[in-house]
Amino acid sequence: MRKLLFTLLLLLSASVYTIKPQTVQRPKLVVGIIVDQMRYEYLYRFYPYFGERGFKRLMSEGSNFTYAHYNYVPTQTAPGHASVSTGSTPFFHGIISNAWYDRTTKKGRTSVEDDSASTVGGNNDEGKKSPRMLLATTMTDQLKLASIGPSKVISVSIKDRAAILPGGHLADGAFWYDETNGNFITSSYYMKTLPDWVDKFNRKKLADKLLSKDWVLAKPEEAYKNNGADNSPFEHDVFKEGKTNFPHSFAKLKGEDFYGALPNTPYGNEMVKELACEAITNERLGKDDVTDFLAISFSSPDYVGHAYGIYSYEIQDIYIRLDEQIADLLKTLDEKVGKGNYLLFLTADHAAEETPGFLKSVNMPVGALNQARALDSLKGFCKNAFNANEVIEDFSNNQIFLNRKVIQNNSLNYHTVLQKLTDYLYNTFPQIQNIQTRDDLLGQTATREPKDFVLNGFNSVRSGDIAITLLPGYLPSNMSKGTTHGTSYAYDTHVPMLFYGWHVPAQENNSPVYIVDIAATICNLLHITEPSCCIGVPLIR
């Protein structure tokens, strides 16, 4: 279907008009980097340990927007990548979380699952994915449409959703890591067979080579003393070592556990960086007069943050190494595309809470709702108040989905049920900060400014009936190790936003800006139409 669409577009362009790329100045290549779970402060907390060619180069030679925030909930990977790419929020683009309850099928679904697709490059179902659930166009889609096809779009990541959503609907290729065998795969949505260069990359067995050596600190241990303690009680034993301190060995891991461990190390970022550099060379990105786009998502910091928390040697080390990997990428871009010929941005899909277990140990205000117990309590209330079972279909992502058929069959008033449940929640669970119902949200429209985080993240078709906001520092379940994200509080919303390269001035700006502004800025610089539901504004004029 995609190939047919572009064939028609090409025929149309030949018969109606021809775009002459040389008439408008554009960069040869756009590079979009999204770092999974990167807090803005990491640019400065780890600054003394960075080299001069990575983050520091982007910060000093580019535009550094120091007060960039997400403007919706939940702050998760899939909605983050979708929002950066579309310049909109889940209200419009429909990616309301990494996974959500589907009223139609009565079960959970992920943001990119697609049973009509099949795996390319593997013999399992890991490639049954596509961007079909994304309801808006992306900046990569707009680039493809503006050039009537010739612009090339390649997207790479460890995570499937982090490769698929930035690539948009019209990507030439999106590739992600298969944790069962250490290879990169794709979906039949994009192609029938892997490109030769990806197949050749897989045959190198880079995952085996990287995991054959221990994960050791990149700097002397003294450099890490200000970021917590190694082997702290707030860390998971990811590699089954019986400890959590450096060095980390993978010797006890076998089979799928072996390859599945790689994303939890700096080697996940290394794999992505190497594949991205291969894409630049083999896809000849930036080699002609039509702008190409390379989307790169570094997912390993998210795995490490979840496992070890933000006050850990591991999180500091992965950013020290990411700095080196970004320096290598910039060097490749300079050599293959030419310094000044590419336009680059770097941001994150969300940030992260300070390690909850540590905060609790120093008497900071943290806690949990215990969503499972809350659901049991709500079901009991519904039985007593409405004399009906199964009024609640699902409780996930801080949203309650009501069974409207049960409500109707029991002659209940939907709006009354909403109000009584809201009153019960407020009166029963002091962990709740705010509650908004579908009645509160319908008829309103998302805005660029975060006037209402819940509204900006609400999709009228896919979201639930009741949305709960917990107190700052509170989680849906107890967490003693590692950290997480997902809220509208600053620790989850404040992320880096860096622009670098073609026509980007060196500046530091602390005006409030939002993640939806990235797509608007890139499209404005390219002189192309912004994505279909973009609510951002250009930041570089």
Side-chain angles (χ1 to χ4, degrees):
M1 185 65 186
R2 292 171 63 253
K3 300 297 184 184
L4 176 61
L5 171 63
F6 264 93
T7 300
L8 292 172
L9 286 171
L10 287 169
L11 289 172
L12 177 65
S13 66
S15 61
V16 179
Y17 63 91
T18 301
I19 289 180
K20 296 181 179 180
Q22 67 270 24
T23 62
V24 177
Q25 284 193 334
R26 293 188 176 96
K28 290 182 175 295
L29 176 66
V30 178
V31 181
I33 298 175
I34 300 178
V35 183
D36 204 327
Q37 200 188 120
M38 183 174 184
R39 291 164 61 99
Y40 159 76
E41 68 164 352
Y42 288 163
L43 287 176
Y44 297 92
R45 190 200 296 184
F46 305 138
Y47 190 88
Y49 314 107
F50 293 151
E52 299 300 321
R53 303 178 299 110
F55 285 118
K56 286 184 179 179
R57 175 178 170 183
L58 299 181
M59 293 166 70
S60 63
E61 298 180 23
S63 290
N64 181 8
F65 291 86
T66 65
Y67 206 68
H69 281 260
Y70 274 84
N71 59 351
Y72 64 84
V73 287
T75 39
Q76 296 178 352
T77 296
H81 283 74
S83 296
V84 170
S85 303
T86 64
S88 61
T89 72
F91 183 95
F92 293 108
H93 62 60
I95 306 299
I96 60 173
S97 58
N98 289 335
W100 61 85
Y101 179 73
D102 189 325
R103 292 183 189 275
T104 303
T105 61
K106 305 298 182 184
K107 62 181 183 180
R109 62 154 299 119
T110 71
S111 58
V112 293
E113 70 180 60
D114 184 352
D115 288 337
S116 70
S118 58
T119 304
V120 175
N123 297 317
N124 52 36
D125 290 339
E126 297 302 312
K128 294 174 70 68
K129 312 287 170 62
S130 82
R132 287 193 171 99
M133 292 301 290
L134 183 64
L135 303 178
T137 67
T138 64
M139 57 182 133
T140 53
D141 290 334
Q142 296 301 146
L143 180 62
K144 294 285 288 187
L145 292 170
S147 69
I148 317 295
S151 288
K152 189 170 287 186
V153 173
I154 302 294
S155 185
V156 297
S157 181
I158 288 291
K159 294 181 180 179
D160 49 19
R161 55 189 178 270
I164 291 169
L165 296 170
H169 301 87
L170 302 177
D172 296 277
F175 307 98
W176 56 93
Y177 180 74
D178 186 344
E179 292 189 10
T180 68
N181 56 30
N183 290 335
F184 279 91
I185 60 173
T186 189
S187 160
S188 60
Y189 175 87
Y190 303 101
M191 58 192 67
K192 294 181 179 179
T193 59
L194 282 179
D196 289 342
W197 64 270
V198 178
D199 189 53
K200 183 178 179 181
F201 183 90
N202 285 337
R203 291 199 301 271
K204 293 179 181 178
K205 293 296 179 184
L206 184 57
D208 294 74
K209 294 175 183 177
L210 292 170
L211 290 172
S212 67
K213 52 188 178 182
D214 290 351
W215 177 8
V216 299
L217 293 172
K219 303 281 185 182
E221 187 174 358
E222 190 63 30
Y224 299 80
K225 296 294 186 182
N226 292 330
N227 201 51
D230 204 7
N231 202 29
S232 87
F234 314 116
E235 302 175 342
H236 289 280
D237 181 7
V238 179
F239 310 113
K240 301 178 182 180
E241 300 170 281
K243 65 181 183 68
T244 63
N245 59 300
F246 279 93
H248 289 298
S249 170
F250 316 112
K252 294 183 178 180
L253 301 175
K254 305 297 180 185
E256 291 186 10
D257 287 343
F258 180 75
Y259 293 114
L262 183 132
N264 295 274
T265 75
Y267 304 141
N269 290 341
E270 185 68 18
M271 291 272 288
V272 169
K273 183 261 294 183
E274 288 294 319
L275 189 68
C277 290
E278 288 292 330
I280 293 169
T281 299
N282 290 279
E283 295 288 346
R284 295 184 55 79
L285 300 180
K287 288 297 186 182
D288 55 29
D289 292 330
V290 180
T291 304
D292 298 320
F293 198 112
L294 174 62
I296 306 168
S297 182
F298 291 110
S299 302
S300 287
D302 183 68
Y303 289 86
V304 172
H306 279 297
Y308 297 96
I310 77 163
Y311 303 118
S312 64
Y313 284 21
E314 285 80 6
I315 203 70
Q316 179 174 340
D317 196 68
I318 203 165
Y319 277 99
I320 290 173
R321 293 177 180 276
L322 180 58
D323 176 63
E324 297 169 351
Q325 290 154 347
I326 288 174
D328 289 344
L329 177 64
L330 293 174
K331 181 181 179 182
T332 298
L333 289 167
D334 289 344
E335 293 174 350
K336 300 291 185 178
V337 184
K339 188 174 181 179
N341 288 330
Y342 58 91
L343 169 63
L344 180 149
F345 69 83
L346 183 147
T347 189
D349 56 352
H350 53 75
E353 183 177 0
E354 286 84 359
T355 310
F358 171 77
L359 292 181
K360 185 177 181 180
S361 74
V362 295
N363 299 315
M364 293 289 284
V366 294
L369 173 65
N370 196 326
Q371 194 163 278
R373 290 182 184 177
L375 178 57
D376 289 340
S377 178
L378 282 165
K379 287 181 176 179
F381 170 77
C382 289
K383 176 64 176 175
N384 293 330
F386 310 123
N387 194 29
N389 293 316
E390 309 302 329
V391 171
I392 297 175
E393 274 192 357
D394 187 72
F395 188 5
S396 56
N397 292 311
N398 286 333
Q399 294 190 22
I400 298 171
F401 292 75
L402 301 184
N403 190 321
R404 298 170 190 175
K405 188 173 183 179
V406 168
I407 291 172
Q408 182 180 11
N409 290 344
N410 284 272
S411 300
L412 299 170
N413 182 283
Y414 171 78
H415 308 288
T416 301
V417 171
L418 283 181
Q419 188 57 57
K420 287 190 175 182
L421 282 170
T422 298
D423 291 342
Y424 178 75
L425 287 164
Y426 272 130
N427 293 332
T428 310
F429 302 102
Q431 304 95 327
I432 293 176
Q433 173 87 289
N434 190 39
I435 301 171
Q436 291 167 270
T437 69
R438 181 170 285 265
D439 283 351
D440 299 324
L441 299 169
L442 286 176
Q444 300 187 67
T445 302
T447 60
R448 172 179 176 265
E449 298 79 11
K451 295 176 181 178
D452 189 331
F453 285 91
V454 173
L455 173 64
N456 283 356
F458 172 80
N459 181 270
S460 61
V461 175
R462 296 174 180 174
S463 294
D465 299 277
I466 299 174
I468 295 170
T469 300
L470 301 178
L471 293 169
Y474 277 68
L475 303 170
S477 60
N478 288 299
M479 175 175 286
S480 61
K481 298 178 185 291
T483 193
T484 190
H485 48 84
T487 75
S488 60
Y489 297 112
Y491 49 77
D492 281 338
T493 65
H494 194 182
V495 295
M497 186 187 289
L498 298 165
F499 295 90
Y500 173 84
W502 186 86
H503 287 199
V504 174
Q507 62 174 325
E508 184 175 291
N509 187 313
N510 66 354
S511 299
V513 297
Y514 305 100
I515 209 70
V516 295
D517 297 331
I518 292 176
T521 301
I522 295 298
C523 290
N524 188 63
L525 287 170
L526 295 180
H527 301 290
I528 63 174
T529 303
E530 65 273 20
S532 57
C533 297
C534 181
I535 57 175
V537 300
L539 302 180
I540 296 173
R541 297 176 172 85

PDB file of all heavy atoms in Angstrom, residues 254-272:
ATOM      1  N   LYS A 254      22.476 -16.876  30.242  1.00  0.00           N
ATOM      2  CA  LYS A 254      22.442 -17.857  29.153  1.00  0.00           C
ATOM      3  C   LYS A 254      21.262 -17.571  28.229  1.00  0.00           C
ATOM      4  O   LYS A 254      20.246 -17.005  28.628  1.00  0.00           O
ATOM      5  CB  LYS A 254      22.296 -19.274  29.716  1.00  0.00           C
ATOM      6  CG  LYS A 254      23.363 -19.660  30.743  1.00  0.00           C
ATOM      7  CD  LYS A 254      24.760 -19.664  30.141  1.00  0.00           C
ATOM      8  CE  LYS A 254      25.796 -20.057  31.199  1.00  0.00           C
ATOM      9  NZ  LYS A 254      27.186 -19.962  30.679  1.00  0.00           N
ATOM     10  N   GLY A 255      21.389 -17.983  26.965  1.00  0.00           N
ATOM     11  CA  GLY A 255      20.291 -17.915  26.015  1.00  0.00           C
ATOM     12  C   GLY A 255      19.741 -16.518  25.831  1.00  0.00           C
ATOM     13  O   GLY A 255      20.481 -15.549  25.655  1.00  0.00           O
ATOM     14  N   GLU A 256      18.412 -16.420  25.896  1.00  0.00           N
ATOM     15  CA  GLU A 256      17.763 -15.132  25.690  1.00  0.00           C
ATOM     16  C   GLU A 256      18.104 -14.137  26.792  1.00  0.00           C
ATOM     17  O   GLU A 256      18.101 -12.935  26.556  1.00  0.00           O
ATOM     18  CB  GLU A 256      16.251 -15.317  25.573  1.00  0.00           C
ATOM     19  CG  GLU A 256      15.825 -16.032  24.303  1.00  0.00           C
ATOM     20  CD  GLU A 256      14.324 -16.081  24.131  1.00  0.00           C
ATOM     21  OE1 GLU A 256      13.619 -15.397  24.910  1.00  0.00           O
ATOM     22  OE2 GLU A 256      13.841 -16.779  23.225  1.00  0.00           O
ATOM     23  N   ASP A 257      18.377 -14.654  28.000  1.00  0.00           N
ATOM     24  CA  ASP A 257      18.786 -13.751  29.081  1.00  0.00           C
ATOM     25  C   ASP A 257      20.083 -13.031  28.731  1.00  0.00           C
ATOM     26  O   ASP A 257      20.292 -11.884  29.131  1.00  0.00           O
ATOM     27  CB  ASP A 257      18.975 -14.534  30.391  1.00  0.00           C
ATOM     28  CG  ASP A 257      17.653 -14.972  31.001  1.00  0.00           C
ATOM     29  OD1 ASP A 257      16.608 -14.416  30.624  1.00  0.00           O
ATOM     30  OD2 ASP A 257      17.682 -15.875  31.854  1.00  0.00           O
ATOM     31  N   PHE A 258      20.936 -13.703  27.983  1.00  0.00           N
ATOM     32  CA  PHE A 258      22.225 -13.123  27.589  1.00  0.00           C
ATOM     33  C   PHE A 258      22.003 -11.923  26.669  1.00  0.00           C
ATOM     34  O   PHE A 258      22.461 -10.815  26.951  1.00  0.00           O
ATOM     35  CB  PHE A 258      23.054 -14.200  26.884  1.00  0.00           C
ATOM     36  CG  PHE A 258      24.413 -13.736  26.417  1.00  0.00           C
ATOM     37  CD1 PHE A 258      25.454 -13.535  27.308  1.00  0.00           C
ATOM     38  CD2 PHE A 258      24.653 -13.505  25.068  1.00  0.00           C
ATOM     39  CE1 PHE A 258      26.704 -13.118  26.867  1.00  0.00           C
ATOM     40  CE2 PHE A 258      25.887 -13.097  24.615  1.00  0.00           C
ATOM     41  CZ  PHE A 258      26.922 -12.895  25.525  1.00  0.00           C
ATOM     42  N   TYR A 259      21.256 -12.120  25.592  1.00  0.00           N
ATOM     43  CA  TYR A 259      21.013 -11.022  24.661  1.00  0.00           C
ATOM     44  C   TYR A 259      20.068  -9.979  25.266  1.00  0.00           C
ATOM     45  O   TYR A 259      20.167  -8.795  24.970  1.00  0.00           O
ATOM     46  CB  TYR A 259      20.440 -11.558  23.353  1.00  0.00           C
ATOM     47  CG  TYR A 259      21.420 -12.403  22.581  1.00  0.00           C
ATOM     48  CD1 TYR A 259      21.188 -13.769  22.397  1.00  0.00           C
ATOM     49  CD2 TYR A 259      22.581 -11.852  22.044  1.00  0.00           C
ATOM     50  CE1 TYR A 259      22.098 -14.554  21.694  1.00  0.00           C
ATOM     51  CE2 TYR A 259      23.487 -12.626  21.345  1.00  0.00           C
ATOM     52  CZ  TYR A 259      23.248 -13.984  21.171  1.00  0.00           C
ATOM     53  OH  TYR A 259      24.147 -14.747  20.472  1.00  0.00           O
ATOM     54  N   GLY A 260      19.162 -10.418  26.116  1.00  0.00           N
ATOM     55  CA  GLY A 260      18.252  -9.488  26.764  1.00  0.00           C
ATOM     56  C   GLY A 260      18.929  -8.573  27.755  1.00  0.00           C
ATOM     57  O   GLY A 260      18.378  -7.530  28.128  1.00  0.00           O
ATOM     58  N   ALA A 261      20.139  -8.933  28.186  1.00  0.00           N
ATOM     59  CA  ALA A 261      20.875  -8.096  29.130  1.00  0.00           C
ATOM     60  C   ALA A 261      21.517  -6.891  28.466  1.00  0.00           C
ATOM     61  O   ALA A 261      21.762  -5.872  29.105  1.00  0.00           O
ATOM     62  CB  ALA A 261      21.961  -8.925  29.828  1.00  0.00           C
ATOM     63  N   LEU A 262      21.785  -7.005  27.171  1.00  0.00           N
ATOM     64  CA  LEU A 262      22.535  -5.945  26.487  1.00  0.00           C
ATOM     65  C   LEU A 262      21.911  -4.560  26.609  1.00  0.00           C
ATOM     66  O   LEU A 262      22.634  -3.582  26.841  1.00  0.00           O
ATOM     67  CB  LEU A 262      22.746  -6.320  25.018  1.00  0.00           C
ATOM     68  CG  LEU A 262      23.581  -5.319  24.222  1.00  0.00           C
ATOM     69  CD1 LEU A 262      24.663  -6.013  23.418  1.00  0.00           C
ATOM     70  CD2 LEU A 262      22.686  -4.505  23.283  1.00  0.00           C
ATOM     71  N   PRO A 263      20.592  -4.393  26.470  1.00  0.00           N
ATOM     72  CA  PRO A 263      20.033  -3.042  26.615  1.00  0.00           C
ATOM     73  C   PRO A 263      20.279  -2.416  27.979  1.00  0.00           C
ATOM     74  O   PRO A 263      20.202  -1.198  28.117  1.00  0.00           O
ATOM     75  CB  PRO A 263      18.527  -3.263  26.379  1.00  0.00           C
ATOM     76  CG  PRO A 263      18.448  -4.490  25.536  1.00  0.00           C
ATOM     77  CD  PRO A 263      19.556  -5.361  26.043  1.00  0.00           C
ATOM     78  N   ASN A 264      20.583  -3.234  28.989  1.00  0.00           N
ATOM     79  CA  ASN A 264      20.839  -2.732  30.328  1.00  0.00           C
ATOM     80  C   ASN A 264      22.281  -2.281  30.527  1.00  0.00           C
ATOM     81  O   ASN A 264      22.720  -2.082  31.667  1.00  0.00           O
ATOM     82  CB  ASN A 264      20.513  -3.823  31.356  1.00  0.00           C
ATOM     83  CG  ASN A 264      19.057  -4.187  31.384  1.00  0.00           C
ATOM     84  OD1 ASN A 264      18.258  -3.564  32.062  1.00  0.00           O
ATOM     85  ND2 ASN A 264      18.694  -5.219  30.618  1.00  0.00           N
ATOM     86  N   THR A 265      23.002  -2.124  29.454  1.00  0.00           N
ATOM     87  CA  THR A 265      24.408  -1.748  29.498  1.00  0.00           C
ATOM     88  C   THR A 265      24.688  -0.639  28.486  1.00  0.00           C
ATOM     89  O   THR A 265      23.867  -0.376  27.602  1.00  0.00           O
ATOM     90  CB  THR A 265      25.303  -2.955  29.135  1.00  0.00           C
ATOM     91  OG1 THR A 265      25.223  -3.179  27.714  1.00  0.00           O
ATOM     92  CG2 THR A 265      24.869  -4.219  29.864  1.00  0.00           C
ATOM     93  N   PRO A 266      25.852   0.000  28.553  1.00  0.00           N
ATOM     94  CA  PRO A 266      26.223   0.984  27.527  1.00  0.00           C
ATOM     95  C   PRO A 266      26.354   0.366  26.141  1.00  0.00           C
ATOM     96  O   PRO A 266      26.371   1.082  25.137  1.00  0.00           O
ATOM     97  CB  PRO A 266      27.580   1.522  28.010  1.00  0.00           C
ATOM     98  CG  PRO A 266      27.654   1.179  29.449  1.00  0.00           C
ATOM     99  CD  PRO A 266      26.877  -0.084  29.618  1.00  0.00           C
ATOM    100  N   TYR A 267      26.441  -0.963  26.080  1.00  0.00           N
ATOM    101  CA  TYR A 267      26.610  -1.628  24.798  1.00  0.00           C
ATOM    102  C   TYR A 267      25.355  -1.516  23.932  1.00  0.00           C
ATOM    103  O   TYR A 267      25.429  -1.628  22.703  1.00  0.00           O
ATOM    104  CB  TYR A 267      26.995  -3.089  25.006  1.00  0.00           C
ATOM    105  CG  TYR A 267      28.222  -3.270  25.851  1.00  0.00           C
ATOM    106  CD1 TYR A 267      28.318  -4.293  26.793  1.00  0.00           C
ATOM    107  CD2 TYR A 267      29.310  -2.400  25.723  1.00  0.00           C
ATOM    108  CE1 TYR A 267      29.456  -4.457  27.572  1.00  0.00           C
ATOM    109  CE2 TYR A 267      30.448  -2.553  26.501  1.00  0.00           C
ATOM    110  CZ  TYR A 267      30.519  -3.587  27.428  1.00  0.00           C
ATOM    111  OH  TYR A 267      31.633  -3.732  28.210  1.00  0.00           O
ATOM    112  N   GLY A 268      24.191  -1.318  24.566  1.00  0.00           N
ATOM    113  CA  GLY A 268      22.987  -1.074  23.780  1.00  0.00           C
ATOM    114  C   GLY A 268      23.121   0.191  22.955  1.00  0.00           C
ATOM    115  O   GLY A 268      22.797   0.221  21.757  1.00  0.00           O
ATOM    116  N   ASN A 269      23.608   1.252  23.584  1.00  0.00           N
ATOM    117  CA  ASN A 269      23.854   2.508  22.861  1.00  0.00           C
ATOM    118  C   ASN A 269      24.930   2.342  21.803  1.00  0.00           C
ATOM    119  O   ASN A 269      24.860   2.946  20.725  1.00  0.00           O
ATOM    120  CB  ASN A 269      24.276   3.608  23.841  1.00  0.00           C
ATOM    121  CG  ASN A 269      23.143   4.060  24.736  1.00  0.00           C
ATOM    122  OD1 ASN A 269      21.972   3.844  24.441  1.00  0.00           O
ATOM    123  ND2 ASN A 269      23.489   4.698  25.839  1.00  0.00           N
ATOM    124  N   GLU A 270      25.931   1.519  22.115  1.00  0.00           N
ATOM    125  CA  GLU A 270      27.017   1.293  21.159  1.00  0.00           C
ATOM    126  C   GLU A 270      26.484   0.606  19.901  1.00  0.00           C
ATOM    127  O   GLU A 270      26.846   0.975  18.774  1.00  0.00           O
ATOM    128  CB  GLU A 270      28.110   0.439  21.804  1.00  0.00           C
ATOM    129  CG  GLU A 270      29.346   0.236  20.940  1.00  0.00           C
ATOM    130  CD  GLU A 270      30.159   1.510  20.724  1.00  0.00           C
ATOM    131  OE1 GLU A 270      29.983   2.477  21.486  1.00  0.00           O
ATOM    132  OE2 GLU A 270      30.991   1.520  19.797  1.00  0.00           O
ATOM    133  N   MET A 271      25.621  -0.371  20.087  1.00  0.00           N
ATOM    134  CA  MET A 271      25.020  -1.063  18.943  1.00  0.00           C
ATOM    135  C   MET A 271      24.236  -0.089  18.071  1.00  0.00           C
ATOM    136  O   MET A 271      24.343  -0.100  16.838  1.00  0.00           O
ATOM    137  CB  MET A 271      24.083  -2.166  19.445  1.00  0.00           C
ATOM    138  CG  MET A 271      24.762  -3.340  20.123  1.00  0.00           C
ATOM    139  SD  MET A 271      25.281  -4.652  18.996  1.00  0.00           S
ATOM    140  CE  MET A 271      23.706  -5.373  18.536  1.00  0.00           C
ATOM    141  N   VAL A 272      23.443   0.764  18.713  1.00  0.00           N
ATOM    142  CA  VAL A 272      22.629   1.720  17.967  1.00  0.00           C
ATOM    143  C   VAL A 272      23.507   2.721  17.236  1.00  0.00           C
ATOM    144  O   VAL A 272      23.271   3.055  16.066  1.00  0.00           O
ATOM    145  CB  VAL A 272      21.636   2.433  18.909  1.00  0.00           C
ATOM    146  CG1 VAL A 272      20.971   3.613  18.216  1.00  0.00           C
ATOM    147  CG2 VAL A 272      20.577   1.450  19.398  1.00  0.00           C
TER     148      VAL A 272
END
